[in-house]
Amino acid sequence: MNRGRFITLEGSEGAGKSTNMDYIQQSLQARGVDIVMTREPGGTSIGEDIRELLLGHKHTGMSDDTELLLMFAARAEHIHKVIEPALQRGQWVLCDRFTDATYAYQGGGRGIAAERIAILENWTQGLLRPDLTIYLDVPVETGRQRAGDRSDPDRFEKEQNDFFNKVRQTYLHRGEQEPDRFRLVDASMALEQVQARLDEIVLELLD
Ligand code: T5A
């Protein structure tokens, strides 16, 4: 049995990840790929509880290190219970955010050194890295307008544009550092154009 492929989808707020997760799934399934959809933080029972801690407002003033460690705690459970078993069964895994988000939000946004994140990445993931990462890139203002004035913004959505600009710059930098793995999609285009580009990436994946 061939090992499955591990695809991650990234983007800053309102870039269109949720909208396009379904599109990519349908596109791959239509071509006969057996695919598991999941998300971070979350994807397991423990991970979804950790997500509530991270995104909710129950605990104010969470320290940056606590936030980082909770992201990796959720990720450890996710890898053990969902991602690795699926890949070993030969299924593909499409994950809404993964460790690039940690580099972008906890690294770029919060200012935690990439070297410290890399220690946790190596410890938690071993050799596991995404085979391909699709990054939906949109200017911060556009993404935030699209996400709209949510009646109950989560702990990250309450951050200011300066935070999200650093998040975006970190994603773009990582894309430049790893051009073989990253596929940058200009998500400021109309949805049909974004999805036409996603079709090209799906075809490339199946090649
Ligand atoms: N996080 C996560 C970390 O800090 N570190 C980590 O390690 C990880 C894993 C998770 C939060 O956790 C943080 C990052 C996040 O803040 P999330 O569930 O990923 O949150 O949710 P968000 O990023 O907040 O996702 P959003 O729901 O805000 O944005 P999406 O999913 O990118 O956007 P979507 O698809 O809901 O689209 C927004 C609106 O835009 C429209 C859609 O119809 C929708 O109305 N739209 C378009 N409109 C015009 N043109 C297009 N091309 C459009 N594409 C979508």
Side-chain angles (χ1 to χ4, degrees):
M1 164 88 54
N2 286 338
R3 184 176 165 85
R5 306 198 71 190
F6 182 31
I7 318 298
T8 58
L9 186 62
E10 300 279 357
S12 49
E13 314 296 300
K17 287 183 299 85
S18 309
T19 311
N20 289 305
M21 279 286 286
D22 290 342
Y23 184 80
I24 297 168
Q25 178 197 28
Q26 283 162 20
S27 185
L28 284 167
Q29 275 177 342
R31 293 169 171 90
V33 175
D34 182 6
I35 191 153
V36 171
M37 302 263 284
T38 187
R39 70 170 179 181
E40 291 209 350
T44 64
S45 170
I46 290 176
E48 292 295 326
D49 281 357
I50 294 176
R51 181 184 177 92
E52 270 188 47
L53 287 175
L54 282 163
L55 270 58
H57 300 287
K58 188 173 170 199
H59 306 285
T60 52
M62 184 183 295
S63 81
D64 295 349
D65 278 352
T66 304
E67 184 179 288
L68 173 69
L69 290 164
L70 284 172
M71 288 294 175
F72 273 105
R75 184 160 299 137
E77 185 74 2
H78 196 203
I79 291 168
H80 286 301
K81 297 276 171 61
V82 176
I83 298 175
E84 263 304 328
L87 294 173
Q88 284 175 20
R89 283 192 300 267
Q91 291 177 297
W92 291 29
V93 175
L94 177 60
C95 189
D96 185 344
R97 295 197 188 278
F98 194 62
T99 305
D100 291 301
T102 314
Y103 281 100
Y105 283 77
Q106 281 65 54
R110 303 279 189 231
I112 297 177
E115 294 73 23
R116 294 184 70 203
I117 298 174
I119 292 168
L120 294 173
E121 179 182 35
N122 289 330
W123 181 25
T124 308
Q125 297 171 216
L127 295 177
L128 179 71
R129 298 289 182 278
D131 295 301
L132 191 101
T133 296
I134 301 169
Y135 169 57
L136 301 176
D137 181 54
V138 77
V140 170
E141 292 76 9
T142 310
R144 297 197 90 182
Q145 270 166 17
R146 281 187 191 164
D149 295 325
R150 292 193 171 142
S151 56
D152 186 19
D154 67 38
R155 220 169 48 82
F156 291 98
E157 287 164 351
K158 288 201 156 179
E159 292 294 337
Q160 303 301 309
N161 281 2
D162 178 50
F163 175 90
F164 292 110
N165 277 315
K166 289 184 206 157
V167 167
R168 183 183 183 210
Q169 289 312 317
T170 308
Y171 273 125
L172 290 169
H173 179 67
R174 289 181 69 73
E176 282 167 14
Q177 298 291 104
E178 293 189 65
D180 290 345
R181 174 169 71 87
F182 264 80
R183 294 295 174 277
L184 188 141
V185 176
D186 177 0
S188 63
M189 299 186 297
L191 190 56
E192 300 71 43
Q193 289 170 285
V194 171
Q195 293 181 339
R197 174 77 184 112
L198 292 174
D199 285 336
E200 289 173 7
I201 295 170
V202 164
L203 290 178
E204 178 198 344
L205 265 169
L206 292 167
D207 228 356

